[in-house]
Amino acid sequence: MTVLLSLFVLTQPVAAQGVVCSASKLPQIIEGFFQLTTGLGLIGLVVVWQGDSLFELFTMNHEQKAKLKEHKRAALKSATILVVLGPLYTVAGSLMGLPLAQCVNLAPW
């Protein structure tokens, strides 16, 4: 019974890889979705950065300027994570043998 249960659990990633990779358009849809969200995230970074820079021009209070700079820093961190996670998953997932990393390239370029 234990052997049967362990075989069932161990073969699930292989079965999932077969389903994802053998689907006609699913890998391309996943890649396109990741590229779209990464692009929108980078556009969001530019909008937040420019908006905060504009607000800094009209802000006299040092506390508000510090909050705006912190907001810009947080937006930059988020965009960096967004751009780095896809290629990191692609490389690390291939090295670890993860099923999705074998047929889907999550690099945003």
Side-chain angles (χ1 to χ4, degrees):
M1 180 67 168
T2 307
V3 173
L4 226 94
L5 183 62
S6 64
L7 281 175
F8 179 73
V9 171
L10 292 176
T11 58
Q12 286 302 321
V14 175
Q17 178 182 358
V19 171
V20 171
C21 293
S22 67
S24 62
K25 299 278 185 181
L26 190 59
Q28 290 85 10
I29 291 172
I30 293 171
E31 289 174 7
F33 178 75
F34 187 78
Q35 289 174 354
L36 178 69
T37 55
T38 302
L40 289 175
L42 292 176
I43 290 170
L45 168 68
V46 170
V47 169
V48 166
W49 194 275
Q50 293 300 318
D52 285 350
S53 296
L54 180 67
F55 289 140
E56 276 184 68
L57 292 174
F58 300 110
T59 302
M60 298 295 178
N61 189 354
H62 290 292
E63 181 181 320
Q64 288 177 335
K65 283 188 179 185
K67 285 182 182 179
L68 287 171
K69 285 186 180 186
E70 181 61 35
H71 188 249
K72 284 169 55 174
R73 204 173 299 126
L76 186 61
K77 285 180 187 176
S78 297
T80 303
I81 289 171
L82 187 65
V83 170
V84 168
L85 277 183
L88 182 65
Y89 177 79
T90 300
V91 171
S94 295
L95 291 175
M96 292 189 295
L98 297 177
L100 191 60
Q102 302 299 324
C103 60
V104 176
N105 181 13
L106 295 179
W109 46 85

